[in-house]
């Protein structure tokens, strides 16, 4: 009896200790969240000083990822909002609004009173109502020490005709989250998935919400059938038949204490109204045919002509407990919902070059070197490796995947010439993840994103376009030399603790404008591990 009583007492003591620890962690978590809310409020106070809308012609935006790039429904313009940039010591978050005029090839910075707080990994959807509206939901904001992240659950609308921001408050909406996906469906916004991370734990979602654009009310959808498992960063697009396709994504699960296992999803599901009723939905598992993308995360998505979904880039990480390496991509895939089929995006190359290659084919020297493309007679992707030496001696290796020629969704004929025969590969966006995509008048635009070289993160600010009807070659509208990218070495914790100013924003030495607010972080890999328990840079916007 004595031993039993002693064991029971010991057990109760352990429970009390665990309860105290849980209470302590919970209190610290609430305190950190309050600190973040205070910092966000501070930034909003600075933004409130704007009293009128000012449009300023400017150079292209600074490097960033996890922003949103949207198409104006009535004008030949692209709209860039938010995003983040990491320079090795600090992360800068933005709530800036830029407009790119496609015809004039010019950028304009639009300062509007009372904008949404600074954020990244949000979702933005454009609808044509009222001269065009840009709806923004969720996203995240980082703490000064880079160890805590605040996930928004606010909903904003930018009235494009009047250039005014409005926060729309409605109960019953999704919880705070990042990496979710949102599309316009009829006169509703449909939102799926995402994740939330706190000091204690993290959670991925697979819930579905609808926001009615007429009544400004949220509702929770409870589809029947077996749907996707919880995930973030997936593909979500509307089909011509009125359904919604969800493909891929990323999630993590805790397998034991301090050990998480990441999963790159490659399954596909269809969400659609059941029996034509908009109040009843159903999930269906899909098995598309064709050439599917290889498993990856951090890819970007846009709607292409003919109601096809375009899939670009991303990264495939090889995870180990203490390290990870990844292969970045710049390939294109198209999903045709009408045929339920994937197609690889294949560039034909410029017509002038094609003619020259045909004339000179017989003169090709015997045993001429060609990149290996698989088995005999095949024309698979060609990988070109470039090395750039930065000022500090760091060697940045860029792997670029060049797809073989041929039109989208069509098999290549035997007389098609490969790109490597042109003598030099056609220029295009280098491999990257978390880039911003938009399609206007059949032209694909790719802006920014990032790739890594060792512990160094290179954030991009280049802009490329591709005619999706011709599929001949990429055109660089804004170029960037990765060698010029600023990268600061990590400072120790004592130095970081003194840099409060950087966490509260500052002045950009080049522009004189207020910056997005510097937020100190651990090195790139560790920082992203904290941001969301997943490999670095695999949580797209």
């Amino acid at each position: 009896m004595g031993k039993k009583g002693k064991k029971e007492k010991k057990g109760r003591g352990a429970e009390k200790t665990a309860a105290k620890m849980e209470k302590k962690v919970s209190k610290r978590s609430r305190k950190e969240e309050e600190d973040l809310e205070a910092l966000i409020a501070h930034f909003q106070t600075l933004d409130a000083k704007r009293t009128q809308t000012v449009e300023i012609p400017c150079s292209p935006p600074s490097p960033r990822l996890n922003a949103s790039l949207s198409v104006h429904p009535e004008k030949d313009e692209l709209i860039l909002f938010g995003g983040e940039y990491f320079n090795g010591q600090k992360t800068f978050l933005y709530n800036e609004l830029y407009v790119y005029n496609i015809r004039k090839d010019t950028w304009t910075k639009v300062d509007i009173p009372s904008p949404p707080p600074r954020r990244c990994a949000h979702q933005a959807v454009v609808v044509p109502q009222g001269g065009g509206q840009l709806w923004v939901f969720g996203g995240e904001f980082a703490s000064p020490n880079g160890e805590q992240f605040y996930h928004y659950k606010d909903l904003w609308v930018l009235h494009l005709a009047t250039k005014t921001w409005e926060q729309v408050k409605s109960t019953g909406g999704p919880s705070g989250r990042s990496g979710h996906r949102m599309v316009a469906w009829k006169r509703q916004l449909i939102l799926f998935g995402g994740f939330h991370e706190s000091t204690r734990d993290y959670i991925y979602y697979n819930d579905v919400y609808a926001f009615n654009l007429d009544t400004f009310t949220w509702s929770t959808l409870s589809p029947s059938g077996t749907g996707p498992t919880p995930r973030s960063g997936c593909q979500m697009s509307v089909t011509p038949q009125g359904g919604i396709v969800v493909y891929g994504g990323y999630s993590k699960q805790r397998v034991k204490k301090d050990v998480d296992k990441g999963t790159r999803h490659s399954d596909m599901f269809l969400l659609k109204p059941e029996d034509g009723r908009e109040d009843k939905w159903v999930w269906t598992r899909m098995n598309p045919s064709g050439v599917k993308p290889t498993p990856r995360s951090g890819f970007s998505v846009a709607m292409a002509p003919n109601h096809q979904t375009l899939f670009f880039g991303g990264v495939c990480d090889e995870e180990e407990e203490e390290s990870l390496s990844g292969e970045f991509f710049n390939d294109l895939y198209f999903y045709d919902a009408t045929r339920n089929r994937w197609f690889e995006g294949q560039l034909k190359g410029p017509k002038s070059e094609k003619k020259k290659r045909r004339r000179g084919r017989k003169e090709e020297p015997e045993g001429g070197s060609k990149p290996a493309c698989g088995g005999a007679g095949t024309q698979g992707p060609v990988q070109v490796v470039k090395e750039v030496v930065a000022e500090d001696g760091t060697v940045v290796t860029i792997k670029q995947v060049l797809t073989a020629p041929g039109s989208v969704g069509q098999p290549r004929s035997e007389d098609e010439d490969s790109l490597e025969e042109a003598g030099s590969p056609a220029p295009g966006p280098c491999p990257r993840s978390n880039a911003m995509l938009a399609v206007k008048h059949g032209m694909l635009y790719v802006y920014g994103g990032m790739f890594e070289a060792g512990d160094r993160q290179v954030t991009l600010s280049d802009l490329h376009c591709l005619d999706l009807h011709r599929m001949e070659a990429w055109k660089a509208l804004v170029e960037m030399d990765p060698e010029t990218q600023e990268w600061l070495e990590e400072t120790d914790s004592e130095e970081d603790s003194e840099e409060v100013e950087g966490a509260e924003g500052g002045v950009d030495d080049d522009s004189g404008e207020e910056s997005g607010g510097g937020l100190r972080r651990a090195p790139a890999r560790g920082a992203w591990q904290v941001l969301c328990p997943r490999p670095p840079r695999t949580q797209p916007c």
Side-chain angles (χ1 to χ4, degrees):
M1 291 292 292
K3 289 184 178 180
K4 184 178 179 182
K6 190 174 182 180
K7 287 182 180 179
E8 289 178 352
K9 187 175 181 181
K10 187 177 181 181
R12 288 195 298 269
E15 289 176 3
K16 288 182 180 180
T17 302
K20 287 181 180 179
M21 182 61 68
E22 177 72 15
K23 186 176 180 180
K24 185 177 181 181
V25 171
S26 178
K27 185 177 180 180
R28 184 170 66 246
S29 180
R30 287 197 302 271
K31 176 66 168 60
E32 290 178 348
E33 189 163 297
E34 290 171 0
D35 291 342
L36 287 179
E37 289 176 348
L39 186 56
I40 292 170
H42 168 70
F43 283 135
Q44 287 183 292
T45 300
L46 296 178
D47 292 333
K49 294 179 180 179
R50 305 176 191 172
T51 57
Q52 59 183 358
T53 299
V54 179
E55 300 184 38
I56 308 168
C58 63
S59 55
S62 59
R64 63 193 64 197
L65 68 154
N66 287 329
S68 57
L69 186 64
S70 309
V71 174
H72 196 296
E74 297 182 357
K75 300 180 181 180
D76 292 332
E77 295 178 344
L78 305 180
I79 304 164
L80 181 70
F81 172 73
E84 63 175 316
Y85 165 67
F86 179 55
N87 68 1
Q89 288 183 2
K90 302 177 184 177
T91 292
F92 295 84
L93 293 175
Y94 304 102
N95 63 347
E96 301 166 326
L97 187 73
Y98 289 92
V99 174
Y100 175 69
N101 188 300
I102 294 173
R103 294 189 181 276
K104 297 180 181 179
D105 187 26
T106 58
W107 288 91
T108 302
K109 188 172 184 289
V110 185
D111 289 329
I112 300 175
S114 303
R118 292 154 171 79
R119 68 189 63 205
C120 64
H122 54 280
Q123 277 288 276
V125 172
V126 171
V127 296
Q129 285 93 318
Q133 297 173 344
L134 176 73
W135 289 85
V136 175
F137 177 84
E140 67 191 32
F141 181 86
S143 66
N145 60 12
E147 294 181 358
Q148 179 69 19
F149 290 78
Y150 182 88
H151 298 267
Y152 294 103
K153 59 178 180 180
D154 50 355
L155 180 66
W156 294 76
V157 57
L158 172 63
H159 300 280
L160 299 176
T162 59
K163 292 186 174 64
T164 54
W165 281 107
E166 175 189 358
Q167 184 175 5
V168 178
K169 297 183 178 180
S170 177
T171 59
S175 57
R177 63 188 64 194
S178 308
H180 50 286
R181 290 295 175 260
M182 187 169 71
V183 296
W185 184 86
K186 296 186 176 181
R187 296 183 69 83
Q188 298 184 72
L189 303 177
I190 307 296
L191 185 147
F192 168 79
F195 78 98
H196 182 280
E197 182 266 339
S198 67
T199 301
R200 292 170 293 172
D201 207 350
Y202 57 87
I203 182 172
Y204 285 83
Y205 301 103
N206 63 346
D207 46 5
V208 186
Y209 289 84
F211 180 79
N212 191 299
L213 293 171
D214 294 320
T215 62
F216 280 20
T217 56
W218 284 104
S219 60
T220 304
L221 303 185
S222 300
S224 59
T226 303
T229 55
R231 64 193 62 192
S232 66
C234 59
Q235 166 189 319
M236 189 176 183
S237 56
V238 179
T239 70
Q241 298 80 17
I244 298 174
V245 167
V246 171
Y247 168 79
Y250 184 87
S251 65
K252 258 189 179 296
Q253 289 183 326
R254 184 147 293 163
V255 293
K256 58 182 180 179
K257 186 178 180 181
D258 299 328
V259 177
D260 302 311
K261 180 182 179 182
T263 300
R264 294 183 297 272
H265 300 283
S266 57
D267 47 4
M268 178 176 281
F269 298 84
L270 177 67
L271 176 65
K272 64 179 182 179
E274 191 171 5
D275 301 326
R277 296 171 51 185
E278 294 187 12
D279 62 338
K280 193 174 182 182
W281 293 71
V282 59
W283 283 112
T284 305
R285 179 72 179 261
M286 302 182 70
N287 293 297
S289 59
V291 182
K292 304 175 185 178
T294 56
R296 66 189 70 184
S297 54
F299 54 79
S300 305
V301 174
M303 290 305 298
N306 302 321
H307 302 285
Q308 294 182 337
T309 303
L310 186 149
F311 176 108
F312 171 81
V315 60
C316 179
D317 282 310
E318 293 298 329
E319 299 181 56
E320 296 180 7
E321 287 194 13
E322 305 235 342
S323 66
L324 45 96
S325 59
E327 179 183 4
F328 289 81
F329 303 97
N330 64 346
D331 46 0
L332 286 173
Y333 290 87
F334 294 83
Y335 173 70
D336 188 327
T338 304
R339 291 185 278 178
N340 190 27
R341 185 178 181 86
W342 282 101
F343 299 97
E344 187 177 3
Q346 301 163 341
L347 301 186
K348 300 176 183 178
K351 290 183 178 179
S352 58
E353 290 289 345
K354 186 176 178 181
K355 290 178 181 178
K356 289 179 182 178
R357 293 198 301 275
R358 284 181 174 173
R359 286 198 298 268
R361 175 177 292 185
K362 293 181 180 180
E363 299 176 8
E364 183 180 333
E366 187 175 351
S369 61
K370 285 187 181 181
C373 300
T378 62
Q379 291 181 323
V382 178
Q383 181 171 279
V384 177
V385 180
K386 302 177 182 179
E387 289 191 347
V388 178
V389 181
E391 292 181 0
D392 60 359
T394 303
V395 178
V396 180
T397 302
I398 303 175
K399 294 182 179 180
Q400 185 169 6
V401 179
L402 303 177
T403 54
S407 58
V408 178
Q410 300 293 330
R412 294 185 297 274
S413 59
E414 292 182 2
D415 63 334
E416 285 283 0
D417 295 3
S418 60
L419 284 179
E420 60 267 25
E421 288 177 316
S424 59
C430 69
R432 65 191 66 194
S433 69
N434 304 64
M436 284 64 74
L437 260 61
V439 175
K440 182 74 172 181
H441 300 316
M443 299 292 293
L444 166 65
Y445 296 86
V446 176
Y447 180 84
M450 62 83 72
F451 66 88
E452 284 189 352
D455 289 333
R456 180 180 181 130
Q457 175 177 308
V458 179
T459 306
L460 301 162
S461 61
D462 51 353
L463 176 66
H464 297 262
C465 70
L466 174 67
D467 189 327
L468 296 174
H469 295 297
R470 296 177 180 271
M471 288 296 290
E472 291 179 353
W474 286 96
K475 179 181 179 182
L477 301 174
V478 177
E479 296 185 277
M480 173 189 173
D481 183 1
E483 188 176 349
T484 63
Q485 179 91 102
E486 176 190 49
W487 185 256
L488 304 178
E489 294 299 325
E490 179 191 9
T491 58
D492 58 41
S493 57
E494 289 184 6
E495 291 174 335
D496 283 348
S497 64
E498 295 173 359
E499 294 181 8
V500 178
E501 225 174 84
E504 298 182 352
V507 175
D508 189 314
D509 293 336
D510 296 327
S511 64
E513 300 172 0
E514 181 192 340
S515 70
L519 300 172
R520 293 183 299 281
R521 255 191 185 175
R525 292 182 180 276
W528 281 96
Q529 294 274 25
V530 173
L531 166 62
C532 150
R534 66 190 190 281
R537 32 88 180 132
T538 56
Q539 194 66 57
C541 64

